[in-house]
Amino acid sequence: MDRDTMDDDPKVRQIRAAARTLFLRHGYAEVSTASLAKEAGVSKETLYTRYPSKEAILADVLEHLITTPEDPGPADRPAPATPSELEDELRHFARHLLAELVERDYIELARIVVAETPRLPHIGETFRRAVPERALHRARDLLAAARRAELVGDVDLDAAARLFVAPLVIHALLNVMLVAPAEGRPADAFDIDAHVALVLRALSAKERTS
């Protein structure tokens, strides 16, 4: 079942919402597929026709937090054709990604993954594939389109994607994940305009000749 079909399936939405609630309430390891099915109001057979395993449900919950249907990724948006369009796309991407990274439920699920990974290593791998790798792939696709349009130099796209995404992840880590929750306390501001300008300057810089 592809992503669009899943998002249109009411049973998938019920299972996803139930999983999000139970994982946050009890932790991943303590939640069984039977309890997931009961919380979602579906049969175990229905659950397994949508997801092959509990790990797949966790991956979907995490991925859905980082990439929502209301905000299409770079592959679904027109490729930038001018420097200003590229700057706008990078700002759009950074705003959306940062908003998702500092979203409280995402942070709590990330804490669950960190806690469970020593005992269940595949959970960490699931998280890595569903969240950081997807964000890096989206950034790489956008920068690849920019390189084809000669809006950035002939750069290593994987390194460029990491250059763009890593500061956003570090900001979320230092200012939200490692900080005790506090009602009404907003995360410290991240200057997206300055970040995008710095990345573009680095990617557009001409190599110095020796």
Side-chain angles (χ1 to χ4, degrees):
M1 187 180 294
D2 62 31
R3 176 65 181 268
D4 290 339
T5 302
M6 288 186 69
D7 285 331
D8 290 337
D9 186 334
K11 298 298 185 185
V12 166
R13 293 197 294 269
Q14 288 172 227
I15 296 167
R16 186 185 289 143
R20 182 167 168 166
T21 296
L22 291 182
F23 290 155
L24 288 171
R25 185 183 300 161
H26 303 295
Y28 173 82
E30 300 304 317
V31 177
S32 66
T33 52
S35 63
L36 278 171
K38 182 178 179 180
E39 179 77 14
V42 301
S43 67
K44 286 186 70 175
E45 180 181 3
T46 296
L47 185 147
Y48 280 116
T49 61
R50 270 67 174 182
Y51 298 96
S53 64
K54 190 171 73 166
E55 290 89 346
I57 300 174
L58 176 62
D60 183 52
V61 169
L62 292 169
E63 185 174 347
H64 198 260
L65 282 172
I66 206 74
T67 310
T68 60
E70 290 76 17
D71 189 88
D76 302 315
R77 298 168 65 88
T82 66
S84 62
E85 287 180 3
L86 174 59
E87 189 171 4
D88 287 343
E89 282 299 305
L90 288 173
R91 286 174 177 165
H92 173 86
F93 182 20
R95 280 195 299 269
H96 174 65
L97 178 58
L98 188 60
E100 295 297 333
L101 287 171
V102 301
E103 205 269 333
R104 181 53 59 186
D105 281 0
Y106 170 79
I107 290 295
E108 293 304 325
L109 284 168
R111 286 180 173 136
I112 289 170
V113 171
V114 171
E116 299 291 350
T117 293
R119 190 167 61 88
L120 301 168
H122 60 286
I123 295 301
E125 179 64 18
T126 295
F127 178 81
R128 186 178 66 82
R129 288 196 309 266
V131 183
E133 281 193 1
R134 182 169 179 82
L136 287 168
H137 289 162
R138 292 175 66 207
R140 189 186 190 283
D141 289 345
L142 176 55
L143 293 170
R147 191 173 70 176
R148 288 192 297 272
E150 299 183 346
L151 300 176
V152 299
D154 186 17
V155 298
D156 181 317
L157 292 174
D158 291 325
R162 289 192 294 271
L163 176 69
F164 182 71
V165 170
L168 302 170
V169 175
I170 292 170
H171 175 81
L173 176 69
L174 295 179
N175 291 281
V176 185
M177 190 170 182
L178 297 180
V179 176
E183 289 296 330
R185 179 190 181 277
D188 291 343
F190 183 91
D191 192 335
I192 287 175
D193 289 348
H195 174 56
V196 169
L198 185 62
V199 168
L200 285 176
R201 190 178 309 156
L203 300 184
S204 301
K206 296 180 180 179
E207 293 183 355
R208 291 189 178 93
T209 56
S210 56

